[in-house]
Amino acid sequence: MTNKIQENARRIGLVALPVVVSMATAVPAYAAEGDVDITGIMTTAFTGVKNDMLATIAVALPIALAVVGAVMATRFGIKFFRQIAK
């Protein structure tokens, strides 16, 4: 995985640079409006992201656990029956 990142570091940098620059220039735009609470805005944004992520996990986790449980039960069942068949 790290080899792929190292091989594509230049491409990643070319994509990441405009994103970082746009993020850095977006914050001073609020300064012209006067009294703006950047901390409050960031807190609200990250709280929204957190809530969305937890909601997604709450929906996906039971499904993922059922699938992983079925796969593990199948693997252990096959191993068990192979040992008995010997």
Side-chain angles (χ1 to χ4, degrees):
M1 181 72 174
T2 56
N3 290 338
K4 287 186 179 184
I5 293 173
Q6 289 174 350
E7 290 172 5
N8 296 316
R10 185 167 187 241
R11 291 180 186 158
I12 292 170
L14 289 174
V15 172
L17 181 64
V19 172
V20 170
V21 170
S22 66
M23 288 175 59
T25 58
V27 175
Y30 292 111
E33 295 179 12
D35 188 27
V36 176
D37 182 22
I38 297 295
T39 306
I41 292 170
M42 296 295 285
T43 303
T44 304
F46 283 120
T47 302
V49 170
K50 177 197 73 159
N51 291 337
D52 291 344
M53 289 177 65
L54 289 176
T56 303
I57 290 170
V59 170
L61 189 62
I63 297 167
L65 287 175
V67 170
V68 170
V71 170
M72 288 178 63
T74 304
R75 285 187 181 176
F76 287 130
I78 290 171
K79 285 182 183 179
F80 177 73
F81 285 118
R82 282 186 181 166
Q83 288 176 353
I84 292 176
K86 287 183 179 182

